[in-house]
């Protein structure tokens, strides 16, 4: 899965929680979940849970704290997918 | 000088009517909202009849966003938010969309439990070692103040936002607390109300205490029988009621419609002493509560036209009538008219006081006394205290000046409110 494929899978997940719906269409790797998409910080845990389910991975607390932007999310998802495939 | 307090808006989500118009129609015509409950039967409870507001997903989505409805399973919050927002709109109030909260407006919205079905899901998940997958909304849905928190956020309320909890007097208590806050000048308007969750996880406990009716499982609408000789337990139900209480000064300045005035009331407890216990009332305290409410409202017992009783349809109904009679020093044909909304909606528990207050205030503002159903066989002990024509079984169109509303609850707690025509 390349970055743009990952991004396409990520979009509908974050769209559920974004208060700024317009920003979803312009989403890039630089998009910030809280500042750009206006996701309520409490909902970030829901985003993580949905990502875990979508990709069949488990995201540890430390990674969760870093997942504030699209690029961070993609990096973490890729890392976890690689760990999973290497097992 | 203390403010006078009036009611300028109402909202209701009841088993026999959702929204003020449907509710008014049901109340006036004695239409029952009690239905067969397949969940209670499947789970092998004795009582298979309950009262639940009927809500479509379309209607709910007018009050909640899609995001809020994700993993949402808190019926009491749904009912409370709907009733509260309806009352706000009915009062002609706007929803503030700006950054600034409405500092003058708050809510005291009571509940007995919150999100009990959501709580169950969370408990299962926790025990299955899935605690990290609970998501972000378990707390907001299961904290008992969930209903006031949701409502406060939707309306941008900036005054006190809280939830009171005192069993079956919760709704009446919320009105008195809101009244006191406005009277003291600490708020201009407050949404007073209360809600109660639906479902076997709240009703089952009452069934297990053997206080619910199991003799009318095949005839649900005849099941709730306040004041009847064949009353054999209450019918558990749910819903929410809400009233906007406001200073008279503000209501006049806004040109708001005024339903009635809140003259005051009283709350006390029998301390579970004497005849009182966790579940039984101390009659001395009940009578004292009624007498003090009259005193605090600045009226006399003779001025009361109508009583909206607690009257749940248990063996205690006759005792309640006796307590009213002693407290008011009125009996026979001199006793006020009395009715119980529970005959058509069952016992909405923590929501009962507020839903019944909405019905009470409608009676004052529109000049009618709603009929009691299922009491054609009036309890003989009641007949020895008051004249049977004081218990209307048909709609009476009549001007009402003063109505007394009482609620009594577990923990030996009592509340009595006095409403007056404005």
């Amino acid at each position: 899965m390349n970055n743009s494929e990952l991004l396409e899978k990520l979009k509908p997940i974050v769209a559920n929680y974004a208060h700024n719906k317009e920003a979803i269409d312009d989403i890039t790797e630089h998009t910030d979940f809280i500042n750009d998409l206006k996701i309520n910080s409490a909902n970030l845990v829901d985003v993580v849970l949905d990502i875990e389910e979508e990709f069949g991975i488990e995201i540890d607390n430390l990674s969760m704290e870093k997942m504030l932007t699209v690029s961070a999310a993609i990096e973490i998802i890729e890392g976890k997918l690689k760990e999973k495939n290497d097992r | 000088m203390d403010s006078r307090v009036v009611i300028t808006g109402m909202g209701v989500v009841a088993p026999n009517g959702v929204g003020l118009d449907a509710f008014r129609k049901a109340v006036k015509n004695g239409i029952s909202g009690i239905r067969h409950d397949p969940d209670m039967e499947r789970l092998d409870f004795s009582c298979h009849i309950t009262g639940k507001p009927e809500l479509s997903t379309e209607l709910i989505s007018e009050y909640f966003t899609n995001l809020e409805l994700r993993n949402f399973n808190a019926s009491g919050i749904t009912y409370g938010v709907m009733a509260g927002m309806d009352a706000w709109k009915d009062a002609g109030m706007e929803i503030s969309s700006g950054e600034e909260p409405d500092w003058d407006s708050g809510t005291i919205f009571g509940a007995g439990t919150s999100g009990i079905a959501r709580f169950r899901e969370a408990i299962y998940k926790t025990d299955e070692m899935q605690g990290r997958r609970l998501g972000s909304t378990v707390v907001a849905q299961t904290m008992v103040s969930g209903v006031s928190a949701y409502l406060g956020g939707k309306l941008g309320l900036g005054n006190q936002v809280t939830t009171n909890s005192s069993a079956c007097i919760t709704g009446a208590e919320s009105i008195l607390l809101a009244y006191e806050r406005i009277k003291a000048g600490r708020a201009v308007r407050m949404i007073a109300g209360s809600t109660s969750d639906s479902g076997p996880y709240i009703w089952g406990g009452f069934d297990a205490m053997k206080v619910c009716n199991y003799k009318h499982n095949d005839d649900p609408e005849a099941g709730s029988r306040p004041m009847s000789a064949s009353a054999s337990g209450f019918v558990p139900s749910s819903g929410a009621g809400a009233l906007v209480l406001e200073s008279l000064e503000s209501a006049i300045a806004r040109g708001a419609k005024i339903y009635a005035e809140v003259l005051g009331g009283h709350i006390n407890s029998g301390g579970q002493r004497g005849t009182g216990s966790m579940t039984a009332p101390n009659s001395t305290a009940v009578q004292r509560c009624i007498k003090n409410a009259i005193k605090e409202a600045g009226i006399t017992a003779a001025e009361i036209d109508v009583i909206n009783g607690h009257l749940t349809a248990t063996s205690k109904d006759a005792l309640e009538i006796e307590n009213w009679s002693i407290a008011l020093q009125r009996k026979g044909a001199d006793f006020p008219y009395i009715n119980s909304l529970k005959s058509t909606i069952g016992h909405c528990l923590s929501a009962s006081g507020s839903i019944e207050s909405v019905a009470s205030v409608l009676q004052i503002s529109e000049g009618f006394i709603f009929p009691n159903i299922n009491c054609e066989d009036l309890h003989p002990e009641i007949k020895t205290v008051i004249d049977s024509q004081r218990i209307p079984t048909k709609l009476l169109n009549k001007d009402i000046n003063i109505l007394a509303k009482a609620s009594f609850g577990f923990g030996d707690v009592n509340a009595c409110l006095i409403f007056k025509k404005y």
Side-chain angles (χ1 to χ4, degrees):
Chain A
M1 214 180 305
N2 63 33
N3 280 10
S4 66
E5 283 169 348
L6 266 179
L7 187 59
E8 282 312 306
K9 285 196 159 192
L10 206 52
K11 255 193 200 178
I13 293 176
V14 293
N16 284 327
Y17 303 99
H19 287 286
N20 184 357
K21 300 285 181 205
E22 288 80 42
I24 293 291
D25 299 330
D26 308 325
I27 202 165
T28 70
E29 289 190 22
H30 305 292
T31 302
D32 184 291
F33 289 151
I34 294 176
N35 295 320
D36 299 325
L37 299 182
K38 307 289 179 208
I39 292 177
N40 183 323
S41 60
N43 283 136
L44 289 179
V45 300
D46 302 310
V47 172
V48 170
L49 292 178
D50 290 357
I51 288 174
E52 288 188 338
E53 207 155 289
E54 174 66 32
F55 295 97
I57 55 176
E58 190 164 309
I59 296 167
D60 56 277
N61 288 345
L62 207 62
S63 304
M64 208 186 271
E65 284 171 23
K66 292 182 197 150
M67 242 167 72
L68 297 168
T69 61
V70 171
S71 59
I74 289 177
E75 194 181 313
I76 289 160
I77 295 166
E78 279 178 335
K80 297 291 173 191
L81 283 174
K82 189 165 179 299
E83 270 176 40
K84 192 170 120 180
N85 293 334
D86 288 350
R87 269 205 297 266
Chain B
M1 202 181 93
D2 286 350
S3 296
R4 283 172 70 184
V5 179
V6 293
I7 295 158
T8 55
M10 299 199 289
V12 64
V13 175
N16 65 348
V18 175
L20 215 47
D21 290 338
F23 179 68
R24 174 195 291 107
K25 191 174 161 227
V27 167
K28 284 179 109 165
N29 294 295
I31 295 170
S32 174
I34 307 303
R35 308 272 176 269
H36 173 250
D37 190 322
D39 288 335
M40 293 292 281
E41 181 170 13
R42 177 177 56 83
L43 294 167
D44 209 19
F45 284 111
S46 304
C47 171
H48 301 166
I49 58 173
T50 62
K52 265 187 276 199
E54 288 176 347
L55 301 177
S56 66
T57 41
E58 291 76 32
L59 186 64
I60 293 171
S61 68
E62 288 174 25
Y63 298 81
F64 292 88
T65 65
N66 287 340
L67 177 54
E68 285 170 328
L69 292 173
R70 280 179 76 85
N71 300 316
F72 190 83
N73 195 3
S75 53
I77 294 177
T78 307
Y79 306 149
V81 165
M82 291 178 69
M85 289 181 74
D86 281 0
W88 194 247
K89 201 175 149 196
D90 185 48
M93 294 297 297
E94 303 280 325
I95 295 176
S96 88
S97 52
E99 288 293 305
E100 185 95 347
D102 176 354
W103 305 115
D104 293 331
S105 304
T107 185
I108 298 176
F109 214 104
T113 58
S114 182
I116 198 161
R118 185 79 175 107
F119 205 19
R120 171 182 180 267
E121 293 170 359
I123 287 167
Y124 272 112
K125 230 170 205 176
T126 301
D127 287 348
E128 286 158 6
M129 303 297 287
Q130 293 290 310
R132 65 181 294 279
R133 303 197 59 81
L134 288 173
S136 71
T137 61
V138 171
V139 175
Q141 289 180 50
T142 63
M143 63 185 192
V144 74
S145 60
V147 63
S148 52
Y150 271 89
L151 192 56
K154 285 182 177 296
L155 301 178
L157 304 178
N159 205 280
Q160 183 180 22
V161 172
T162 189
T163 288
N164 64 307
S165 189
S166 44
C168 303
I169 75 160
T170 298
E173 181 180 71
S174 72
I175 294 169
L176 197 59
L177 293 173
Y179 160 82
E180 286 167 352
R181 190 169 178 82
I182 296 166
K183 189 180 169 203
R186 296 199 174 94
V188 173
R189 73 189 64 76
M190 299 288 291
I191 302 174
S194 64
T195 189
S196 192
D197 278 327
S198 279
Y201 307 109
I202 176 156
W203 296 327
F206 293 96
D207 187 88
M209 294 175 81
K210 305 295 172 202
V211 293
C212 297
N213 183 352
Y214 59 89
K215 293 180 181 164
H216 292 80
N217 287 340
D218 297 329
D219 191 5
E221 295 191 359
S224 187
R225 314 183 61 76
M227 299 182 277
S228 150
S230 50
S232 53
F234 73 78
V235 175
S237 60
S238 58
L243 303 91
V244 174
L245 269 61
E246 183 164 0
S247 73
L248 177 62
E249 194 186 355
S250 161
I252 289 172
R254 291 197 302 118
K257 142 187 81 187
I258 295 175
Y259 282 98
E261 180 170 359
V262 183
L263 288 186
H266 191 74
I267 286 177
N268 73 359
S269 168
Q272 301 178 43
R273 296 292 185 270
T275 56
S277 69
M278 176 61 79
T279 55
N282 173 340
S283 289
T284 309
V286 169
Q287 293 163 22
R288 187 185 166 91
C289 180
I290 295 167
K291 283 190 273 191
N292 282 345
I294 290 167
K295 200 164 133 194
E296 284 169 34
I299 60 160
T300 63
E303 290 179 81
I304 295 174
D305 300 307
V306 178
I307 294 167
N308 183 252
H310 186 60
L311 300 168
T312 60
T314 66
S315 55
K316 299 278 185 232
D317 289 356
L319 179 62
E320 179 180 335
I321 302 278
E322 193 189 329
N323 282 331
W324 279 108
S325 177
I326 294 170
L328 303 182
Q329 289 290 298
R330 291 173 65 180
K331 58 181 193 216
D334 177 50
F335 194 78
Y337 285 105
I338 185 163
N339 55 16
S340 170
L341 193 66
K342 292 184 182 77
S343 63
T344 50
I345 66 169
H347 191 346
C348 294
L349 306 169
S350 54
S352 61
S354 59
I355 297 176
E356 292 165 16
S357 289
V358 171
S360 297
V361 171
L362 280 177
Q363 292 186 105
I364 295 178
S365 75
E366 296 170 18
F368 68 90
I369 303 173
F370 70 75
N372 295 283
I373 67 166
N374 301 328
C375 66
E376 54 287 339
D377 56 338
L378 212 54
H379 197 286
E381 281 177 37
I382 292 177
K383 278 197 266 191
T384 64
V385 181
I386 66 174
D387 197 302
S388 60
Q389 53 93 4
R390 307 316 282 175
I391 306 170
T393 52
K394 286 201 170 65
L395 176 71
L396 295 181
N397 288 304
K398 220 171 182 60
D399 269 346
I400 299 168
N401 191 41
I402 290 180
L403 182 147
K405 162 77 200 131
S407 295
F408 310 115
F410 278 11
D412 201 6
V413 290
N414 311 305
C416 184
L417 305 172
I418 308 290
F419 297 113
K420 184 176 187 287
K421 191 178 184 72
Y422 179 78

